[in-house]
Amino acid sequence: MNKIKLMSHLVAGFPTDEKALAAARALVAGGADILEIQLPFSDPSADGPAIQTACTEVLQRKYRTADGLNFIAQVHKEFPNIPIYLMSYGSLVYTPGVENFCKKASEAGVKGMIIPDLPFDFDEGLTAACKKYGMENIPVAAPSMSEERLSKLANAGFPFIYAALRAGITGSETTIDDKTLNFLKKVNAGGSKVYGGFGISNGKQSADLAGYVEAVVAGSVFVRIITENQDDVNKLSEKVTEKAKEITHI
């Protein structure tokens, strides 16, 4: 049995910091290589119902950016060798100042930033600020991009690119077909390592993507498991680990 790398998605503070930390431990136990931790946001452009609902619940507790960064710091302290990528939206980064935000993120242990609504060529200084503080800006490629723009992104020199495997919001299951694989080849054309996600929830999808991506990205599937088992932290941990193993071992 082979193993494919997994970037797994968590919403900071969902359903509580303690249970989110239990989920992070379970993901690592299940084979997650990278933890993508989302700062909750009220008006997302890419999140499906599971992640949107989780974000809403956390924000109702008056959870702030500082709380999310404290949670990330806690995870980083426990797993210093697991890269943490921060995922959120442009206004959270832009409002306090891009450089100021990146400095704080770096101090919390963040190694990369995924901000879907900051385009790679109009990023408000995100790439430069990331470099200054020892992080990577990981831009998002989408199938809806024109051939010209996709080629420009692929050849822009980013070490990593997040490839959204279909248009729309995440959460629904994605079919990996020839069209998907051709898209991934285009994203990879400039030599960037590609993370492929959006609607990844099982080992068959991972097997279909093996050889085309540096890692698969799975998010909504874990948020749903956490939501369904939030009243029993032992069951939550068991189910999250089980699913991570299924996705990573192909």
Side-chain angles (χ1 to χ4, degrees):
M1 185 174 273
N2 296 318
K3 183 183 182 301
I4 191 168
K5 284 186 180 179
L6 169 65
M7 183 201 300
S8 55
H9 186 103
L10 273 178
V11 175
F14 178 75
T16 64
D17 276 8
E18 293 74 20
K19 288 176 181 176
L21 185 58
R25 291 174 182 140
L27 287 165
V28 173
D33 302 272
I34 302 161
L35 295 175
E36 179 191 17
I37 300 180
Q38 176 168 353
L39 294 185
F41 189 66
S42 58
D43 190 23
S45 57
D47 300 329
I51 294 175
Q52 273 197 48
T53 301
C55 286
T56 300
E57 285 188 24
V58 177
L59 290 170
Q60 283 172 346
R61 303 203 318 261
K62 309 294 184 196
Y63 203 81
R64 312 291 294 180
T65 296
D67 299 318
L69 291 175
N70 286 338
F71 172 74
I72 288 171
Q74 195 177 1
V75 175
H76 175 63
K77 186 178 178 183
E78 190 159 334
F79 301 106
N81 298 319
I82 299 282
I84 295 175
Y85 294 161
L86 185 154
M87 183 264 159
S88 198
Y89 290 92
S91 68
L92 279 189
V93 179
Y94 184 79
T95 302
V98 174
E99 187 166 321
N100 179 40
F101 185 94
C102 286
K103 181 176 186 289
K104 288 181 177 176
S106 174
E107 288 168 353
V110 172
K111 293 296 179 200
M113 303 275 282
I114 302 170
I115 312 295
D117 58 344
L118 281 184
F120 73 97
D121 45 358
F122 295 97
D123 69 3
E124 304 291 350
L126 180 62
T127 300
C130 282
K131 281 183 180 167
K132 180 173 179 178
Y133 293 106
M135 302 185 295
E136 297 292 347
N137 178 26
I138 302 166
V140 177
S144 55
M145 282 179 163
S146 67
E147 294 283 332
E148 182 185 0
R149 187 164 173 73
L150 188 57
S151 176
K152 187 181 175 188
L153 170 55
N155 291 285
F158 289 97
F160 305 101
I161 298 175
Y162 183 129
L165 299 177
R166 56 174 169 74
I169 56 173
T170 189
S172 309
E173 190 161 314
T174 298
T175 302
I176 312 299
D177 54 18
D178 288 344
K179 193 175 173 184
T180 311
L181 301 180
N182 285 333
F183 166 64
L184 287 170
K185 286 177 188 173
K186 290 173 188 173
V187 179
N188 186 244
S192 301
K193 291 181 177 178
V194 179
Y195 301 128
F198 256 54
I200 300 301
S201 62
N202 60 63
K204 182 187 184 307
Q205 292 167 306
S206 296
D208 290 343
L209 290 168
Y212 294 89
V213 298
E214 169 73 7
V216 294
V217 187
S220 293
V221 63
F222 291 117
V223 175
R224 282 195 293 269
I225 291 169
I226 292 164
T227 303
E228 289 162 7
N229 297 282
Q230 59 184 296
D231 295 331
D232 184 341
V233 74
N234 291 327
K235 195 174 177 188
L236 181 157
S237 298
E238 181 187 320
K239 296 279 187 186
V240 166
T241 297
E242 197 177 273
K243 178 55 74 172
K245 284 181 176 174
E246 180 205 329
I247 292 173
T248 54
H249 293 80
I250 56 174

